[in-house]
Amino acid sequence: MIYLKTPEEIELIRKACVLASRSLGEMAKWVTPGTTTHKIDSIAKEFILDNGARPACLGYGGFPGAVCIEVNETVVHGFPSTYCLREGDIVGLDVVVELDGFNGDMCYTFPVGDVDEGVLKLMRTTKESLYKGIDACREGHRIGDVANAVQTYVERHGYSVVREMCGHGIGRKMHEDPEVPNYGRRGTGPLIKNGMVIAIEPMVNLGSRNIVIESDGWTCRTRDRKPSAHYEHTVAVSGGETHILTTFDYVKEVLGDRYI
Ligand code: MF3
Ligand code: CO
């Protein structure tokens, strides 16, 4: 069941999204060799709580962190840990903020120090594929148009799209209908209507698309252990227009010329 949102509800979701965006900016300051992923998690947790909101991942289905942390071959749902970031790593930080009963969800994959040019290219392409998906997310189109736009762009560049994990509707709950896959056929799937709010989140692998879930029941990694990148925005369709409710501007401010 897809819950269409009123303009007022979309404004509340936007507030949650802005806070999520600011929290990602705070985390960005700590993405450097030598920082533990635990530290990044605690920075985000404190920032979100201090701003009167809740890190929605914490405790969700038993998830132990405030943020999902995705180092190198981790695709999604990595736990914060004592792992120290190292020069050449990439790290995806996926954060969901619940503010006044509404959720905002986003993810950015960061380079840690100097990163291999081939991996930087994977990251750029993944981020660009997110914007291809957003571009296809228009009133009157279908979810399959979004999915196909992402898949086509990614595969044209020689990378592969993870099938098992999808984007999703979002609102009062972090995960609502519809599912928003990153692969599919144009003209298929639910119709995109005014009031629809979705998280679009391509997860793109350098090597094969296959994944493995670790024995902790959460951590999803590439089977071939090659790197994977992940970018995500929360997007609303309202008044015939598509609005990106989250922003990478705060990350950009921190990274300066290292911004991808
Ligand atoms: N953006 C992630 C998702 O949509 C957030 C997951 S939070 C978790 O799956 F608690 F489920 F890990
Ligand atoms: Co999401």
Side-chain angles (χ1 to χ4, degrees):
M1 160 98 187
I2 299 173
Y3 296 105
L4 299 177
K5 279 81 182 177
T6 64
E8 292 74 24
E9 288 172 325
I10 291 174
E11 281 317 301
L12 291 171
I13 297 173
R14 186 197 297 277
K15 289 205 170 109
C17 287
V18 169
L19 190 55
S21 307
R22 289 173 57 210
S23 78
L24 206 51
E26 292 305 308
M27 289 186 268
K29 297 174 185 168
W30 291 86
V31 177
T32 171
T35 308
T36 65
T37 58
H38 243 134
K39 177 72 188 174
I40 293 172
D41 183 71
S42 65
I43 292 292
K45 184 177 171 187
E46 196 179 316
F47 181 81
I48 292 165
L49 291 172
D50 281 353
N51 281 281
R54 198 177 69 81
C57 290
L58 190 60
Y60 182 90
F63 190 80
V67 179
C68 297
I69 301 194
E70 307 154 354
V71 180
N72 298 332
E73 71 267 30
T74 302
V75 177
V76 283
H77 301 163
F79 293 175
S81 74
T82 55
Y83 178 79
C84 262
L85 293 176
R86 291 202 294 204
E87 179 96 18
D89 283 346
I90 63 171
V91 60
L93 303 176
D94 186 347
V95 63
V96 187
V97 165
E98 186 192 329
L99 177 65
D100 294 333
F102 287 91
N103 290 277
D105 187 0
M106 70 189 306
C107 178
Y108 192 92
T109 302
F110 296 80
V112 182
D114 273 339
V115 167
D116 178 81
E117 187 52 43
V119 179
L120 289 174
K121 247 178 90 184
L122 166 74
M123 293 160 74
R124 279 191 210 106
T125 304
T126 306
K127 191 168 155 218
E128 286 158 8
S129 77
L130 166 60
Y131 289 102
K132 296 290 174 194
I134 293 170
D135 214 42
C137 179
R138 296 188 198 171
E139 191 212 348
H141 287 198
R142 289 185 180 273
I143 293 296
D145 298 323
V146 177
N148 183 265
V150 171
Q151 180 182 18
T152 305
Y153 190 78
V154 166
E155 293 180 352
R156 175 146 49 87
H157 287 81
Y159 304 118
S160 60
V161 156
V162 172
R163 303 287 202 275
E164 292 84 350
M165 306 287 173
C166 295
H168 47 90
I170 181 163
R172 287 195 182 274
K173 291 209 290 193
M174 176 197 317
H175 292 148
E176 296 183 0
D177 288 339
E179 268 201 344
V180 183
N182 296 301
Y183 68 98
R185 296 201 327 273
R186 276 193 285 184
T188 65
L191 193 60
I192 299 174
K193 296 180 181 169
N194 282 317
M196 207 179 257
V197 182
I198 59 173
I200 304 178
E201 50 179 320
M203 290 148 260
V204 177
N205 295 351
L206 187 66
S208 92
R209 68 177 178 82
N210 299 307
I211 56 143
V212 170
I213 308 289
E214 301 277 20
S215 55
D216 60 24
W218 278 98
T219 309
C220 168
R221 67 158 170 89
T222 57
R223 195 167 76 187
D224 59 15
R225 294 190 185 274
K226 289 184 181 169
S228 183
H230 180 201
Y231 293 86
E232 175 176 23
H233 273 312
T234 297
V235 168
V237 180
S238 178
E241 302 282 332
T242 300
H243 308 272
I244 308 176
L245 303 181
T246 42
T247 174
F248 296 144
D249 284 356
Y250 300 97
V251 167
K252 196 171 176 184
E253 224 168 82
V254 173
L255 295 191
D257 57 12
R258 294 187 306 118
Y259 180 75
I260 304 257

